[in-house]
Amino acid sequence: MCLCAEITSIDCGVEIIVLRHTLEAKRNSNTGRLVARALTSARLVTYGAPNTPLETAVLTAPGTALLFPRPSAIDAPPPSRVIVLDGSWSQARRMAQRIPQLRGMPSLSLPAPTRLLPRMREGKSPEQMSTAESAIAALRVLGEEKAAAHLESLLHELVRRFALPKRKGPMLSTRQ
């Protein structure tokens, strides 16, 4: 049974741009598409697809911050738009370095997680969160608790279904 039909989108006061590496689109364990489906203010943008230029205009709006750990973290005002890199840690690091619009952008850094959310794949350390986990943490930091709780409940269900026996991947369509 696919989770797609059960996902309801809710409003959120912060726009989330999920900047997904093209190779991540094929992974069954990708949580970026869950973020894009769960929030009316979220949008999925693909990076690195052959013969497909990156939509750079979506990256340069005022009030935009990059959710990525680096020293230039912003203090105030809180961003109205957050770019969440969706890929492996090495892909995300390369995207942050190679996309000129992201290099000088203010960063939103998250505190280390106080509790771990369910995961479909493990990082090398607990601080390495999935796209959905980092979006949930960012929404909480920015005061969007209702949107964070909604996304967290969907993540729990997706991971639960992913772990069911005789399944070959999560039950979320890869068509987006």
Side-chain angles (χ1 to χ4, degrees):
M1 179 166 47
C2 182
L3 182 61
C4 299
E6 300 170 42
I7 296 176
T8 57
S9 294
I10 67 166
D11 292 330
C12 178
V14 176
E15 186 177 359
I16 303 290
I17 305 297
V18 177
L19 186 55
R20 180 175 65 185
H21 192 281
T22 190
L23 296 178
E24 196 64 18
K26 298 173 185 169
R27 294 188 75 128
N28 286 340
S29 57
N30 177 265
T31 61
R33 69 179 64 91
L34 179 68
V35 175
R37 289 176 182 257
L39 306 172
T40 58
S41 63
R43 180 173 173 199
L44 193 59
V45 176
T46 300
Y47 167 77
N51 302 317
T52 306
L54 176 63
E55 296 177 55
T56 56
V58 75
L59 307 177
T60 58
T64 301
L66 175 64
L67 182 60
F68 196 73
R70 58 184 181 192
S72 63
I74 60 172
D75 291 323
S80 56
R81 174 189 281 181
V82 176
I83 296 172
V84 181
L85 301 178
D86 184 25
S88 69
W89 269 93
S90 59
Q91 289 167 339
R93 189 173 27 260
R94 284 193 304 271
M95 288 165 58
Q97 293 168 350
R98 292 180 181 169
I99 301 171
Q101 293 79 4
L102 301 181
R103 281 190 224 134
M105 182 177 287
S107 291
L108 176 65
S109 292
L110 300 173
T114 56
R115 65 184 174 97
L116 296 180
L117 295 176
R119 294 181 172 177
M120 291 191 284
R121 44 183 165 149
E122 294 297 319
K124 292 180 182 176
S125 73
E127 291 82 27
Q128 293 181 334
M129 296 182 266
S130 71
T131 301
E133 284 178 279
S134 58
I136 290 165
L139 290 168
R140 287 203 164 108
V141 164
L142 296 171
E144 294 289 335
E145 181 56 41
K146 183 178 177 184
H150 174 69
L151 187 53
E152 183 176 337
S153 70
L154 290 170
L155 178 61
H156 278 277
E157 180 60 17
L158 183 64
V159 171
R160 184 189 73 76
R161 290 184 188 199
F162 188 77
L164 288 174
K166 299 180 184 176
R167 301 266 190 222
K168 294 185 180 194
M171 306 309 291
L172 188 64
S173 170
T174 58
R175 285 182 280 166
Q176 187 174 13

